[in-house]
Amino acid sequence: MITGATSLTSKQMEQLKKAFTDLSWHEISQQLLSKFLLIIVTFVLFLMILWVGRVIIVHLFQESKKYNVLKNSNRMATVKTLVLNIYRYTCYFFLLYAVLSEIGVPVGTLIAGAGIFSLALGLGAQSLVSDIVTGFFILLEQQLDVGDTVQIGQVKGTVTALGIRTTQVTSSDGTLNFIPNRNITIVQNLSRNNMVSNVDIRITSKTPLSKVEEIVTQVNKKLVPQTKALQLKPVIVGPVVTPDGALVFRVTITAVSGKQSSVASRFLAAYLKELRANNIPIAWEGVPNEY
């Protein structure tokens, strides 16, 4: 029995060796080389298609500016970014399909017979579908546009890109935040309406309010015509006690969104300069109020 088993094993080894020897390594190497070159050509072709498509899309959006197809420039930038993303993902999908087909993978058969895999993939891709659907409604309802200053949860900054899966917001310190669209529940858009800012001048109980109001009015007459970002004339509110107990003389400034801080700073500097020039007592730089 041992002798028979040994002879059978020897015959199988000889057959295997013969089959291995009969292989046409030259033909195999030629086929591998041809497939490798075909894949390289496919990659180059798709890179050219991707580049040409991007150039065409960018050109079309530049031309659309002449005809004011989308009057809002931020809306146009948003749609442009979204179209470029969709085009890029579509090219990637067809590139993967082409490479698998060239290798010899039966993509059609895999897709048709991948019922269980598709179900598992669908369950795992629920978050992705949620991102896409939420991103679609954000665009449809025009909640965000590229260039808008927004606050989403704890993140505040400027929208730099709005994709089908994530929204990119750049904070004031330069931090780039990637926010999944499904996590965008409450959006505070600070760029749609004019913004109001309070200019508070710290005063004391001895400060002559009538004189302060007179100086503020004179400064307003001088600065209002020079300030293009100002949307309404400054409103003099008068003396107000802030939540921290400080006595202030308040002026309300209404300016273009994003410019309110600089406009308020400019008016405050002018107020302080004139008040000090007229020797009006004010509480500033750590000097306590005198109640």
Side-chain angles (χ1 to χ4, degrees):
M1 291 179 63
I2 297 176
T3 304
T6 305
S7 62
L8 180 61
T9 304
S10 300
K11 289 181 180 180
Q12 291 177 347
M13 291 297 294
E14 290 178 359
Q15 291 177 357
L16 181 61
K17 183 178 180 180
K18 182 179 180 182
F20 187 77
T21 306
D22 291 341
L23 289 175
S24 179
W25 293 104
H26 180 69
E27 294 181 0
I28 293 176
S29 61
Q30 284 186 339
Q31 291 180 1
L32 291 175
L33 181 61
S34 62
K35 287 186 177 295
F36 179 72
L37 292 177
L38 185 59
I39 291 174
I40 292 179
V41 171
T42 302
F43 269 98
V44 173
L45 180 61
F46 270 88
L47 287 176
M48 292 179 60
I49 294 174
L50 182 62
W51 177 76
V52 172
R54 286 177 58 87
V55 171
I56 293 175
I57 292 173
V58 172
H59 177 72
L60 289 176
F61 274 95
Q62 289 178 347
E63 289 295 322
S64 64
K65 292 181 181 179
K66 301 179 181 179
Y67 304 99
N68 291 327
V69 177
L70 295 174
K71 297 181 180 180
N72 192 330
S73 60
N74 289 342
R75 168 60 40 175
M76 180 173 293
T78 302
V79 176
K80 175 184 174 182
T81 303
L82 182 63
V83 171
L84 288 173
N85 285 335
I86 293 175
Y87 177 73
R88 186 175 70 253
Y89 290 136
T90 303
C91 288
Y92 290 161
F93 172 78
F94 282 106
L95 174 61
L96 178 62
Y97 183 89
V99 171
L100 291 177
S101 299
E102 290 169 0
I103 294 175
V105 178
V107 181
T109 305
L110 289 177
I111 294 176
I116 298 178
F117 176 75
S118 299
L119 178 61
L121 183 62
L123 293 175
Q126 286 182 353
S127 58
L128 176 61
V129 175
S130 178
D131 288 334
I132 295 174
V133 173
T134 305
F136 171 77
F137 281 105
I138 288 175
L139 286 171
L140 183 65
E141 297 173 358
Q142 299 184 5
Q143 299 177 17
L144 302 174
D145 283 324
V146 174
D148 286 354
T149 301
V150 299
Q151 179 159 351
I152 303 173
Q154 300 298 322
V155 178
K156 182 178 180 180
T158 303
V159 179
T160 52
L162 183 58
I164 60 176
R165 195 181 66 84
T166 61
T167 297
Q168 300 178 24
V169 178
T170 302
S171 302
S172 57
D173 60 355
T175 302
L176 181 59
N177 305 277
F178 292 85
I179 305 174
N181 290 335
R182 67 180 181 277
N183 292 339
I184 301 177
T185 54
I186 299 178
V187 179
Q188 297 180 15
N189 196 321
L190 309 178
S191 298
R192 297 296 172 85
N193 300 317
N194 296 325
M195 303 299 292
V196 178
S197 181
N198 293 326
V199 179
D200 291 340
I201 306 170
R202 286 178 175 264
I203 58 177
T204 69
S205 59
K206 299 179 180 180
T207 301
L209 299 180
S210 58
K211 187 65 175 178
V212 173
E213 183 173 354
E214 179 183 347
I215 293 174
V216 168
T217 302
Q218 293 175 357
V219 173
N220 289 343
K221 289 181 180 179
K222 179 180 179 181
L223 287 184
V224 167
Q226 303 175 5
T227 310
K228 296 181 180 180
L230 197 67
Q231 295 298 294
L232 297 174
K233 291 183 178 181
V235 177
I236 299 176
V237 179
V240 176
V241 178
T242 62
D244 60 353
L247 179 63
V248 299
F249 189 91
R250 176 167 295 174
V251 181
T252 301
I253 302 292
T254 303
V256 176
S257 176
K259 301 291 185 180
Q260 67 273 12
S261 297
S262 59
V263 172
S265 297
R266 182 181 182 186
F267 274 80
L268 178 59
Y271 294 154
L272 295 177
K273 180 180 179 181
E274 290 299 323
L275 289 171
R276 287 168 176 166
N278 288 272
N279 297 319
I280 303 298
I282 56 177
W284 202 253
E285 298 177 354
V287 179
N289 291 312
E290 300 177 3
Y291 291 109

